[in-house]
Amino acid sequence: MRISKELIEKYHDGLCSPSEKEAVENWLNSDAVDEAFELPSEISKEQFSDDIWNEIAVILPEEKQEQVSVFSPARRSVWRQAAAVLLVGAAGMTFFFLKNKGVNSSNIIVVKNTSETVNKDLEASEYTISVGPNSNVEINNKNGVIDFCGAVMINPKKDLTLTIQGTCEVNKLSNEKHYLKKGLTYIALNYKSSSNPGEVLILDDGSLMGLPPLMKRQLMHQFNI
Amino acid sequence: MTEFKKFVLLALPFFLAVAGCSSPNENSPKKYSIYAMMKDGSEYIIQTDSLDAKAIEPADGAKIAIKDVWSDLIVKDGFYYRLDWKTETFFKYRLEGDHLIELDTVKLPGFSFLETYHWVAKDSLLLITYNKHVKKTLYAKLSVPDFVLKTGEMNIPTPAGIFNWMSIGFAQLRKDKLFVGYTYHTTSTNGFTTSDTAHVSVLKYPEMICLQVFKDTKSTYPGGINTEEPFTFTDEKGDFYYIACPGIALGNHPDKPTGIYRIKSNEEHPDSSFFINISASAIQNHAYGIWYIGNGKAIVRSERKGLFTGMKDHYKVAHFDFYVVELATGKAERLALPLDKGTARQCIIYKDGIAYITINSDTAGSYVWTYNPETKTLKRGMKFEGEIDYILRIDEL
């Protein structure tokens, strides 16, 4: 079976049939990284590797991103061919890692989403997080603290208690614990209103009705609630 | 398998479905519809013929599977209508027993959320949306008996400069002129601001061609999302009134006052001599929603600053007052009701000289209160039983 980008995404979303799942896992576990991989027809392997790297860079710990930044433009061009092969494999392995093992509990995970329009998703063992445009989040799995600035959606996989702090304004850290119920969708928002530029809101999807309709609709649209 | 067995296999489910239907009398719509959210988050619609009964238990009604539908509903003549933003599909429902039955659907391409709706005729519904992707204000005129649709673009200036979004707060048809109220926004991932100007365009109907635009800066965000609560009314003389709501729960431009505007029945522009500054009246706060109760009086629902801290608790703390506003003088008088909660609600029906006001109080219970404007008497009436959290809608069917 040819392994396509779409198939890997499907695998990541847990939507593969048993045969597709087996094919992806065989591909992931095989040494021949790109033999069975089908590139989208309209883009080159280089472009594809760049795209994938841009995607995975935001879900890697910050230190990893800094390591990447040592590639100077000149050196980067030298590494392009090798990077294409390695990154295609790395992308698949990253999906596999996130899907099956969750976020490494000993790490502080930093996700910075600089996109103007697209969310960045992260799957941890106890919850999934979707980081909205122009938003960032830092997750400390040791103490259960989530610091964020912007808009973030959290879907708990079990009942859990998290300390969720809005960090757009550093002098307003609340250290407030929130009990999140499995099955509900939560929005954490550093809401900027005219009277209060740094209000931190943690709302389940049933409580979005408390927001101004324009804000509620933006969030529903952005996070597909 | 024999032909007979095939027939039984295919026909039996249909037979059982038909046989299981209730009689027409049991399914005929009642006079009023109530939409409630319980403390466990479940939502129910229940219908009743009387708001003067002793008590009603919303959880005896139809449990609504889709969350937060209350804010999307249009209710008329026993039917419920709703736009599903994800599928851009408009639905028609009827309550049968304890189920909302889907009766008809139509695709509304380009419609994600409704800005406002207006019944331009008894069976003709005008739906308006702003599509930010194509930067156009779109309309759909729907014949509700057969769900036949006409769609098009409205000739209304789209957001420009610092503005990237707009809200259409009302549409009101008078002969061949359509008055449309709107304002502009600047949005970001986690907030928005609103222009300091309330706009009214006069369009030639049904061509939707712009004839004139009127701007006013006394208040901003004229009208609102009228599936959530009403923001306009027409009085006995045919004068049209709309409330502008710049408070944090709607326009988020709280430096501007909440205000009531008018377009007189014999004029085709906002009446520049008329403006009721709600925030400068006895109310001294922002208000949202307006309900006409006849003879030149309307009720507004006003927040009370100091009892909430922001949007974090605006919806769940009981802080809303109800005031009767005399349109001729602008005088506002508070109704002696318990403080109400819920940021937006369809909460008043005016019928036969009586205003039925649902009050959602954590300390004083949830009741229908009746207000007689003639005698200025308030009475506590029907009680909402059960673990009520919010009475989100009360509609006349």
Side-chain angles (χ1 to χ4, degrees):
Chain A
M1 182 180 294
R2 301 289 291 179
I3 308 300
S4 65
K5 178 173 176 279
E6 289 72 26
L7 185 59
I8 292 178
E9 286 174 353
K10 201 173 164 187
Y11 180 85
H12 174 56
D13 292 337
L15 300 174
C16 279
S17 66
S19 61
E20 288 173 330
K21 185 168 181 282
E22 187 183 355
V24 173
E25 288 176 357
N26 286 340
W27 175 73
L28 287 169
N29 291 325
S30 71
D31 293 331
V33 176
D34 61 349
E35 268 181 11
F37 190 79
E38 187 176 74
L39 280 169
S41 58
E42 68 278 12
I43 62 171
S44 67
K45 189 180 283 185
E46 292 171 358
Q47 178 62 47
F48 187 59
S49 64
D50 282 350
D51 290 348
I52 289 178
W53 178 252
N54 289 335
E55 286 293 320
I56 64 173
V58 296
I59 59 173
L60 292 175
E62 221 170 19
E63 302 83 55
K64 295 283 183 187
Q65 294 183 45
E66 287 168 5
Q67 287 174 11
V68 172
S69 69
V70 301
F71 282 75
S72 67
R75 292 180 69 191
R76 187 173 177 175
S77 65
V78 174
W79 283 93
R80 273 190 181 278
Q81 293 299 320
V85 175
L86 289 171
L87 288 173
V88 167
M93 291 306 289
T94 302
F95 290 136
F96 183 77
F97 170 72
L98 292 175
K99 180 70 187 171
N100 293 283
K101 295 183 179 176
V103 175
N104 187 332
S105 61
S106 64
N107 279 350
I108 292 177
I109 306 298
V110 176
V111 181
K112 291 184 176 177
N113 186 3
T114 55
S115 167
E116 295 287 329
T117 55
V118 181
N119 300 333
K120 295 295 179 189
D121 299 335
L122 173 66
E123 184 155 347
S125 57
E126 296 182 332
Y127 47 81
T128 58
I129 279 189
S130 187
V131 183
N134 296 315
S135 303
N136 57 65
V137 64
E138 180 176 310
I139 303 166
N140 186 329
N141 278 300
K142 281 186 177 176
N143 58 15
V145 174
I146 295 179
D147 291 342
F148 77 100
C149 181
V152 174
M153 181 173 74
I154 304 170
N155 291 101
K157 296 177 182 174
K158 64 179 187 180
D159 293 355
L160 54 96
T161 301
L162 294 171
T163 301
I164 305 174
Q165 303 185 120
T167 56
C168 291
E169 294 195 16
V170 289
N171 58 343
K172 285 195 173 180
L173 296 182
S174 65
N175 216 22
E176 191 176 350
K177 290 188 183 301
H178 297 271
Y179 177 68
L180 308 186
K181 289 179 71 175
K182 178 188 174 185
L184 293 184
T185 295
Y186 292 86
I187 295 291
L189 184 68
N190 275 114
Y191 180 61
K192 291 181 181 175
S193 70
S194 300
S195 56
N196 186 350
E199 189 177 14
V200 178
L201 307 178
I202 315 293
L203 301 167
D204 66 52
D205 49 359
S207 301
L208 290 181
M209 67 176 186
L211 290 173
L214 184 62
M215 197 68 236
K216 181 180 82 170
R217 291 173 168 194
Q218 266 186 219
L219 291 170
M220 290 172 71
H221 199 270
Q222 188 65 44
F223 293 109
N224 196 31
I225 298 171
Chain B
M1 187 184 292
T2 66
E3 291 302 313
F4 174 73
K5 284 181 180 174
K6 283 181 186 173
F7 171 77
V8 171
L9 190 66
L10 292 169
L12 189 61
F14 178 72
F15 170 77
L16 290 176
V18 172
C21 287
S22 304
S23 69
N25 287 339
E26 283 179 294
N27 288 329
S28 59
K30 297 182 184 296
K31 290 181 180 173
Y32 306 100
S33 169
I34 290 161
Y35 193 123
M37 180 190 283
M38 315 305 280
K39 285 195 166 64
D40 66 359
S42 57
E43 299 172 26
Y44 293 89
I45 291 178
I46 190 166
Q47 295 183 349
T48 178
D49 274 328
S50 172
L51 297 177
D52 298 311
K54 191 176 177 186
I56 193 166
E57 170 86 53
D60 288 342
K63 189 170 185 178
I64 306 302
I66 311 167
K67 272 192 173 184
D68 208 25
V69 166
W70 73 273
S71 60
D72 300 332
L73 289 181
I74 299 168
V75 184
K76 189 171 188 285
D77 296 336
F79 298 105
Y80 300 82
Y81 304 88
R82 166 183 167 260
L83 174 67
D84 180 74
W85 75 269
K86 288 185 182 179
T87 59
E88 299 182 342
T89 305
F90 195 71
F91 292 87
K92 180 180 185 178
Y93 305 95
R94 182 172 61 215
L95 192 71
E96 288 187 8
D98 57 358
H99 286 89
L100 265 186
I101 306 296
E102 184 185 308
L103 301 176
D104 215 338
T105 65
V106 64
K107 282 281 183 185
L108 287 179
F111 276 62
S112 55
F113 293 103
L114 272 190
E115 289 290 327
T116 191
Y117 72 90
H118 176 49
W119 290 96
V120 291
K122 187 178 184 305
D123 289 333
S124 188
L125 181 57
L126 182 66
L127 304 165
I128 298 175
T129 191
Y130 172 68
N131 185 317
K132 69 165 185 161
H133 299 296
V134 296
K135 290 191 172 180
K136 287 179 179 175
T137 301
L138 306 174
Y139 74 91
K141 189 179 167 190
L142 182 70
S143 168
V144 293
D146 49 15
F147 257 43
V148 171
L149 194 65
K150 182 193 174 194
T151 59
E153 183 183 343
M154 300 179 85
N155 187 204
I156 289 176
T158 51
I162 62 169
F163 302 116
N164 62 355
W165 206 309
M166 67 186 296
S167 291
I168 317 295
F170 68 81
Q172 178 70 26
L173 182 63
R174 189 183 288 167
K175 295 180 182 172
D176 63 344
K177 304 288 189 308
L178 187 72
F179 301 102
V180 181
Y182 55 95
T183 192
Y184 298 103
H185 307 286
T186 304
T187 67
S188 64
T189 303
N190 52 340
F192 72 100
T193 56
T194 297
S195 151
D196 65 356
T197 306
H199 301 250
V200 175
S201 277
V202 183
L203 305 184
K204 190 171 188 316
Y205 184 87
E207 295 86 352
M208 300 293 188
I209 297 166
C210 184
L211 300 174
Q212 266 188 299
V213 177
F214 299 93
K215 300 179 183 180
D216 184 278
T217 57
K218 290 191 286 297
S219 183
T220 186
Y221 202 146
I225 293 166
N226 60 345
T227 52
E228 294 194 352
E229 56 190 346
F231 295 90
T232 66
F233 65 86
T234 301
D235 71 4
E236 298 88 342
K237 292 182 288 186
D239 293 342
F240 174 71
Y241 293 81
Y242 54 97
I243 188 168
C245 304
I248 62 166
L250 200 57
N252 192 28
H253 197 128
D255 294 341
K256 293 276 181 182
T258 299
I260 301 174
Y261 292 88
R262 176 173 70 186
I263 300 173
K264 295 176 81 170
S265 62
N266 58 350
E267 295 178 346
E268 293 182 349
H269 54 81
D271 181 355
S272 58
S273 69
F274 182 91
F275 180 74
I276 297 177
N277 186 328
I278 290 293
S279 303
S281 72
I283 295 173
Q284 291 291 309
N285 274 291
H286 282 292
Y288 312 90
I290 191 163
W291 293 262
Y292 189 56
I293 56 171
N295 299 313
K297 293 176 183 173
I299 294 178
V300 298
R301 186 169 181 260
S302 58
E303 66 190 20
R304 197 189 282 186
K305 59 194 169 205
L307 295 183
F308 60 92
T309 61
M311 293 317 298
K312 185 179 184 178
D313 54 0
H314 193 275
Y315 69 103
K316 61 184 177 184
V317 171
H319 65 87
F320 281 97
D321 279 316
F322 291 86
Y323 279 82
V324 175
V325 178
E326 284 186 14
L327 299 168
T329 63
K331 184 185 168 192
E333 189 173 353
R334 182 178 179 273
L335 294 178
L337 292 164
L339 290 172
D340 187 34
K341 73 171 183 178
T343 293
R345 300 202 299 117
Q346 293 276 6
C347 53
I348 298 178
I349 288 175
Y350 178 69
K351 180 87 172 168
D352 299 331
I354 300 292
Y356 295 86
I357 307 168
T358 61
I359 294 291
N360 214 179
S361 165
D362 285 335
T363 54
S366 296
Y367 289 87
V368 174
W369 289 71
T370 58
Y371 174 67
N372 184 331
E374 289 295 314
T375 60
K376 293 190 174 183
T377 51
L378 268 173
K379 286 182 185 172
R380 196 179 74 174
M382 188 170 77
K383 182 181 184 184
F384 294 97
E385 302 275 16
E387 295 295 306
I388 303 290
D389 207 5
Y390 297 93
I391 307 296
L392 294 167
R393 301 186 68 98
I394 181 168
D395 295 281
E396 191 173 1
L397 290 167

